[in-house]
Amino acid sequence: MKPSIHQTISFFLIFNFLLSSIPHLQATTAGVGGATTIAFATLGRSSYSFDIYAIPTNRPSKEIRLTDGKSVNFNGFFPSSSSLSVLPLFPNRPDPTTHILYITERNGSSKIYLDALYDSPPLTSGSRSMLEFPTESTNRLQVNLLGDEQTGGRISMKDKPSLVGQSLIYVSTHENPGQPRASWAAVYSTQLTTGSTRRLTPKGVADLSPAVSPSGVWTAVASFGEKGWGGEVQELDTDIYVFLTRDGSNRVKIVEHGGWPAWADDSTLYFHRRCDDGWWSVFRATFNTKDGQLGVEPVVTRRLTPPGLHAFTPAASSSNKSFIAVATRRPESEFRHIELYDVVSKKFIEVTRPVSPNVHHLNPFISPDSEWVGYHKCRGASNDGKSNNDLVLENVRSPLPNVSLFRVDGSFPSYSPDGERVAYVKFPGLYVMNSDGSGVRNVLTRTAFSTAWDWKRKGVVYTSVGPTFASESTKVDIISINVDDEDLSYKQLTLGGENNAFPSPSPDGKWVVFRSGRTGHKNLYIMDAMNGETGGLHQLTEGPWTDTMCNWSPDGEWIAFASDRENPGSGSFELFKIHPNGTGLQKVIQSGLGGRTNHPWFSPDGKYIVLTSDYAGVSAEPISNPHHYQPYGDIFVIKSDGTGIQRLTHNSYEDGTPAWSSKYTRPTNVEWPSGGSKCSFDDCHWLNISPNKVSRSSNKRQCAH
């Protein structure tokens, strides 16, 4: 007798309860006093609205959406029939292609979901695949496969999942390697019926983009190996390693210089790399495996996709080895698309461009029977005009007790002293809203940069106007604007426009610290808050370096700032603090040699600092995501003396410009009242440029033929 849908759902509830009851280590917390709020920015993130879609490989026509249109769903995987047969989660399986494994970001954190899709009525002997007969009455069974118990209760990303029997293989960032600027990404295996979790990546090593072989015996990864992350933000300097899936043993490097492995069989891997002619291309590696060992014969690699277009993130199927799926960026297109590449005839077959030409399609994957190719893309608006993801405030689960954490759809947020309002910029324009996301107003149409509220004069906001990320002599000046005045007139506080930016007022309301390039170098200055530099000005720091991104502590005793003074012009920034009278200079934190630690902001009690940094390295291959200038940025909190660093965000995006509020805002998502912008993010900028000869110091083989 087949179980009913109610029996199946009951099993899910019991299953999740069992997972939640597994003992685990409690996460350490900063013990930040009082209930407060931190807001930060992730440029473009609110418009992703990703869902997973599929198209038949033999008759590309209409694409079918597989995920539920909620939140951000990406990096899908079709489980095999053998995996589903031993997993007692979905007892009636008419078609394994109706089961989709994927990453989803909802309820403030990243999760791995397994969905089953059926037409109505569900779970009957005559039920049909949703992929064969998609209808509005499609039934969905959905389960969160991985609870926080497997990560010790700590928040983490859980990238690129695979299901092998009852074992879930995935990337998590929940373990701190204990070294600054070292990636936290590692591959884990969780046995779903027991909750037992094993780390497959060696300690002190970072692995990305795992792929399990068709037999399940081997797992391939893109890995930095023992050398670690070198700070690159386009193509990562990773190699391809293979190890036994059961325990991570027999680990062998089989390819130098490559990423995003995909198996065709247990002796054939595909991967991508950027060649010395500048084009991203897909390669094939062949080798021998036998009895849990790699053969002694050399690995043979061959470039498959030709120059003249970018091809990357390959996918393969063991049931049909004549083709692979790749994402491409062709010179004549502004969008990445999914194409099939016939490895025999060496010809491309377009899949997504004929169906949806003006949308980016990312990270293909192929069904076990090779009849479907899946990918994720931005879903845009739904039939009712809502995308269910256009958020002016997005709740991100906070690991700190009594501290709510929000992603703001904008940049450089700052809270008013009473915590009731938020100012932020959107390039161009300065905006103000209530701390609950309501009452959004545009108060300045010019291009503005960082924001800060006056401590004493209600409604007064400081910002800088002019080009962003500019040289020392660029015309950028600091202004103040009273956002409560009907005419919204502003007062210019600096003169001459030598890149004056990052204003931060003193708690007594008398002074503003800012950075300026007026001497030919960017240093810190303090000026009169009411009348600007005409009312009083003195230089706080001086030297042939850059001091910037300053923030005044609530007790008035310290000014925190970022500086490259230990290696001027290198792009490496450390965090310092100094007394307003120029004494007591201290280094607070450094993210390793060549690292970046920026945008400090004191907590309301002055005991902690929130900041953005590459302290946790990069968590995923940047080419697998939309464009981010710094895909290694995460939000951290430290004590103001530089001890006790804690990671707050775990993702593959660029999180930055955090600010701290004295008011606690209830952690809930807030949608844009007008629906917000949809699918407005950019592709990786470095794919838009016509490739030139790539200069490398590495002696690795760039492109084998």
Side-chain angles (χ1 to χ4, degrees), residues 528-552:
D528 183 85
M530 284 287 294
N531 300 309
E533 59 181 272
T534 61
L537 175 74
H538 75 270
Q539 188 169 357
L540 179 61
T541 64
E542 183 177 3
W545 51 66
T546 293
D547 295 333
T548 186
M549 305 174 191
C550 40
N551 181 253
W552 214 310

Side-chain angles (χ1 to χ4, degrees), residues 548-572:
T548 186
M549 305 174 191
C550 40
N551 181 253
W552 214 310
S553 67
D555 61 5
E557 290 296 314
W558 293 101
I559 293 170
F561 63 98
S563 178
D564 70 349
R565 58 178 55 212
E566 294 189 347
N567 194 358
S570 66
S572 175

